[in-house]
């Protein structure tokens, strides 16, 4: 299939800490056309930083003397993304233990391109192995309960217009999760 012309306008911010193979899977899920990628690392002791650098990604190592939140990591990544690629129209945020579904970045950027009133678009998060544990199964079931359609809220795995993130000042760093 043809890559969306909008992919050139999409940047990606991945955040993680000691994700190992999950981070490799995350990176491998990204289309090669997306080259504006920032990985924000939160004190990993594994090879996460080296993995990101080996792929040519920008790396932001968070200062761990300040309290860590996912929001803080996303904001730091977004800041670096726009320093490096100020022309980007859209940013996909993704947690390092998640993979991006094939075709998602093309689909999401096309929707934002065609629907000026839409600020952000996000899909349904699914467990890769719901059978692996009760916890995995419960998460998968809970995530599938989210209604489809217009909503006023979204989580951390989302594509947002860069102008919207800029205008709102990013994620609320005081909130630990569900920000």
């Amino acid at each position: 299939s043809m890559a969306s012309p909008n992919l050139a306008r999409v940047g990606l911010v991945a955040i993680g800490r000691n994700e190992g193979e999950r981070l490799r899977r995350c990176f491998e899920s990204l289309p090669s056309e997306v080259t504006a990628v920032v990985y924000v690392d939160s004190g990993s002791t594994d090879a996460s930083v080296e993995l990101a650098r080996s792929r040519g990604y920008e790396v932001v190592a968070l200062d761990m003397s300040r309290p860590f939140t996912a929001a803080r990591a996303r904001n730091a990544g977004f800041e670096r993304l726009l320093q490096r690629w100020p022309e980007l129209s859209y940013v996909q945020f993704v947690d390092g233990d998640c993979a991006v579904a094939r075709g998602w970045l093309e689909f999401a950027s096309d929707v934002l391109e065609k629907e000026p009133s839409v600020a952000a678009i996000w899909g349904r998060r699914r467990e890769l192995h719901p059978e692996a544990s009760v916890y995995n199964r419960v998460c998968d079931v809970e995530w599938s309960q989210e209604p489809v359609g217009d909503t006023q809220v979204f989580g951390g795995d989302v594509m947002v217009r860069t102008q919207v993130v800029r205008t709102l000042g990013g994620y609320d760093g005081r909130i630990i999760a569900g920000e």
Side-chain angles (χ1 to χ4, degrees), residues 7 11 13 33 50 79 83 113 151-152:
L7 278 189
V13 172
E33 297 92 339
E50 291 76 6
E79 198 175 310
Q83 277 169 0
E113 193 66 26
T151 178
Q152 298 300 310

Side-chain angles (χ1 to χ4, degrees), residues 11-15 40 66 69-79 81 90-95 119-122 125 152-179:
L12 187 130
V13 172
I15 65 171
V40 183
R66 283 180 47 214
T69 66
R72 187 180 151 217
R74 289 190 193 104
N75 290 342
F78 180 74
E79 198 175 310
L81 189 75
Y90 314 117
V91 55
Q92 174 72 47
F93 292 100
V94 64
D95 293 350
I121 181 169
W122 53 289
R125 191 187 270 188
Q152 298 300 310
V153 297
F154 55 80
D157 297 305
V158 61
M159 186 181 290
V160 192
R161 294 180 189 280
T162 53
Q163 194 52 56
V164 169
V165 180
R166 253 201 225 105
T167 302
L168 297 178
Y171 284 86
D172 186 340
R174 298 165 302 181
I175 300 175
I176 302 299
E179 67 291 344

Side-chain angles (χ1 to χ4, degrees), residues 114-160:
K114 291 179 180 127
E115 303 286 343
S117 65
V118 175
I121 181 169
W122 53 289
R124 180 154 282 159
R125 191 187 270 188
R126 300 300 312 262
E127 271 294 333
L128 203 54
H129 300 289
E131 74 289 348
S133 72
V134 170
Y135 178 76
N136 289 34
R137 179 82 188 113
V138 166
C139 282
D140 198 54
V141 168
E142 280 190 359
W143 289 331
S144 69
Q145 305 303 307
E146 284 292 320
V148 172
D150 291 355
T151 178
Q152 298 300 310
V153 297
F154 55 80
D157 297 305
V158 61
M159 186 181 290
V160 192

